Amino acid sequence: MITANEALARLKAGNQRFMSGVRSLETDVKSTNRAGFVGGQEPFAIVLGCSDSRVPAEIIFDQGLGDLFVIRVAGNIVAPSQVGSVEFAAEQFGTPLVVVLGHSKCGAVTATLNELKNPSQSTSSSNVMSIVNRIRPSIQPLFESGVHQDPDKLLTACIHANMLAATNHLRHGSQILEQLVMKGDLKIIGAKYSLETGEVTFFE
């Protein structure tokens, strides 16, 4: 297995190809070699990202079958099932890198802001509220600060805060992951995808 820094370099290079509209030959070859992955997988990176249909990790990082272990949930929140999924991949496959991937104009963060503005009026779904309540603690301080006077700046700041909170949760909310990080076997970082430009900015 490659190192975390090598894995990060591969993601950065893949995103550059995506922004340039160039797809690697290796990615195309992998997509036609399904039989080669029946026996197992060795993903070089774990990506915990949002379910938003505009942010498919394999595409924006130009990676193929078997390259990424992708966990997608609205708002890229971290709940026990997401922590368990990351633990599984890190332990089972020795994957050295975890990327928590937020994105611009996130609907889940917007829904949380709407709930803060109009409590209990923005949604009637208890399931959606479970997502909102995961996001709320990281963005409420920003909502209550002066930033809320500028809706665009507020949303951008809240998306960043939510991504950082999810990253920190993975770093410090699992004994398994903490030990892997301390041993130097795992690196956990945050990132943000721009719907407008296609660029992923990493926060190491």
Side-chain angles (χ1 to χ4, degrees):
M1 180 59 68
I2 62 176
T3 68
N5 287 338
E6 290 170 334
L8 181 57
R10 285 180 65 173
L11 291 181
K12 289 180 177 180
N15 182 239
Q16 287 295 319
R17 291 193 300 273
F18 170 73
M19 286 194 296
S20 301
V22 177
R23 188 173 171 86
S24 74
L25 178 60
E26 182 181 3
T27 299
D28 287 334
V29 169
K30 285 181 177 178
S31 68
T32 62
N33 185 33
R34 295 188 303 275
F37 297 97
V38 172
Q41 57 176 312
E42 293 183 346
F44 71 84
I46 302 163
V47 179
L48 171 58
C50 185
S51 299
D52 194 298
S53 62
R54 300 166 292 179
V55 196
E58 293 89 347
I59 293 177
I60 66 173
F61 290 122
D62 187 36
Q63 301 300 321
L65 291 176
D67 287 332
L68 303 179
F69 190 91
V70 180
I71 305 152
R72 298 183 69 178
V73 59
N76 45 272
I77 61 170
V78 176
S81 59
Q82 283 80 51
V83 176
S85 296
V86 174
E87 289 175 341
F88 171 78
E91 283 198 304
Q92 187 76 16
F93 311 124
T95 306
L97 178 68
V98 180
V99 177
V100 177
L101 182 64
H103 68 94
S104 61
K105 302 187 183 301
C106 180
V109 175
T110 300
T112 306
L113 284 171
N114 290 338
E115 173 64 19
L116 289 171
K117 294 172 186 174
N118 301 292
S120 302
Q121 296 179 21
S122 58
T123 179
S124 59
S125 168
S126 61
N127 296 309
V128 173
M129 282 303 298
S130 70
I131 296 172
V132 166
N133 288 333
R134 288 274 177 186
I135 298 173
R136 185 199 306 261
S138 64
I139 74 170
Q140 189 156 3
L142 289 168
F143 177 78
E144 294 172 351
S145 73
V147 180
H148 78 276
Q149 302 296 335
D150 187 322
D152 291 336
K153 286 184 178 180
L154 175 62
L155 178 58
T156 298
C158 287
I159 289 169
H160 189 77
N162 179 55
M163 177 271 295
L164 288 180
T167 305
N168 287 330
H169 189 155
L170 287 180
R171 285 177 179 155
H172 305 294
S174 160
Q175 187 175 7
I176 291 173
L177 299 180
E178 275 195 59
Q179 289 178 348
L180 288 171
V181 170
M182 288 179 63
K183 288 163 54 181
D185 294 334
L186 185 68
K187 186 173 186 176
I188 303 174
I189 65 173
K192 181 183 173 185
Y193 173 71
S194 169
L195 294 176
E196 296 80 3
T197 67
E199 182 177 12
V200 175
T201 301
F202 295 90
F203 302 93
E204 302 180 53

